[in-house]
Amino acid sequence: MLSNLLIELWPEPATRPKIIGPDVHGFHSDPLASPAEEPKLRFLKEFAPNCSQLGVPLHAATHHEYIEVDENPTTPPRLSQLTITNQIATAVNDTLTRVAPSVQIWAGEIGPHNGGTVPCDHSMMRWANFADSHWYLDAMGVKAASGYSVFCRQDFVGIDYGMIDCSTYAPLPDYYAGILWSKLMGSVVLKATSSDPTLRAYSHCSAGGGAAATVLLINL
């Protein structure tokens, strides 16, 4: 119905909005021990081919993810938590590329913690510090390296893991991490490895173009 409505309202394909979804919820702290049996992955595996069979041009498949980074962190996230982000990314990529290779993978709603909405004051700012930027930058690096095209950060302002202070509108550390990423890391992902798992390494062609690369190193 949605696809037919879009065709009706936007007859010209070049200007027609794209269909993105279904943003399945539920990836949290538990590692994907058996990806084939994981219900969210099973749903995505059925959803994308069904869209194709029905003639629905699904542009991108999305999902929620909160790996439950510790509150009020003063040190970078634990390596085991960041490993979960990688496990989910790999499992989603493996699942979707087999059944819908033309569909992009988007991180549809991702935050450090499924913290909910609390009063707009400084008591809510549990992840509003520099240490959380280790999670944010690492998550963007992992998702890009795993074939994701877009990373939709939850939330910009108005919740306790926002990028802006909801009471003063002052930018928080994650805001600057996002700005640096967009200005430096281009869309072409390069191969980067580290022999030490506590030194996270990511590399992209530079956002400015030309024969340049940008390397992101995160020391846990």
Side-chain angles (χ1 to χ4, degrees):
M1 291 174 62
L2 174 60
S3 180
N4 291 335
L5 184 61
L6 291 176
I7 293 172
E8 177 185 341
L9 296 176
W10 285 272
E12 177 56 49
T15 60
R16 188 178 303 146
K18 300 183 184 301
I19 297 178
I20 299 164
D23 227 37
V24 59
H25 190 20
F27 289 121
H28 288 295
S29 57
D30 293 331
L32 300 173
S34 180
E37 300 303 318
E38 218 291 325
K40 278 79 68 178
L41 287 175
R42 203 162 58 239
F43 180 82
L44 288 174
K45 186 178 180 180
E46 296 174 358
F47 183 88
N50 283 346
C51 286
S52 178
Q53 291 175 16
L54 293 169
V56 175
L58 181 65
H59 178 70
T62 66
H63 68 84
H64 284 37
E65 181 182 320
Y66 297 92
I67 63 165
E68 313 298 356
V69 173
D70 297 336
E71 296 183 22
N72 301 307
T74 56
T75 58
R78 299 188 304 275
L79 178 60
S80 59
Q81 290 176 310
L82 302 185
T83 299
I84 295 170
T85 299
N86 187 45
Q87 289 175 326
I88 295 171
T90 300
V92 171
N93 183 296
D94 290 348
T95 298
L96 287 174
T97 52
R98 282 200 304 267
V99 299
S102 64
V103 175
Q104 293 186 17
I105 304 173
W106 288 22
E109 179 185 313
I110 292 190
H113 195 285
N114 196 30
T117 302
V118 293
C120 182
D121 57 41
H122 284 279
S123 68
M124 71 179 286
M125 299 172 64
R126 293 177 284 176
W127 292 275
N129 53 51
F130 174 72
D132 188 61
S133 296
H134 291 77
W135 160 79
Y136 184 29
L137 289 167
D138 188 79
M140 288 192 289
V142 164
K143 298 308 186 190
S146 298
Y148 284 58
S149 301
V150 172
F151 189 107
C152 299
R153 166 63 187 261
Q154 173 75 1
D155 188 81
F156 184 69
V157 64
I159 205 164
D160 64 348
Y161 40 78
M163 300 171 71
I164 300 291
D165 184 330
C166 72
S167 57
T168 66
Y169 301 112
L172 300 173
D174 280 357
Y175 174 87
Y176 294 105
I179 290 292
L180 283 171
W181 179 280
S182 65
K183 287 184 176 296
L184 298 175
M185 305 291 276
S187 60
V188 177
V189 182
L190 305 174
K191 180 75 171 180
T193 59
S194 169
S195 59
D196 183 350
T198 63
L199 180 64
R200 316 283 284 181
Y202 305 100
S203 181
H204 289 201
C205 287
S206 296
T214 300
V215 177
L216 167 64
L217 298 175
I218 304 172
N219 182 6
L220 299 182

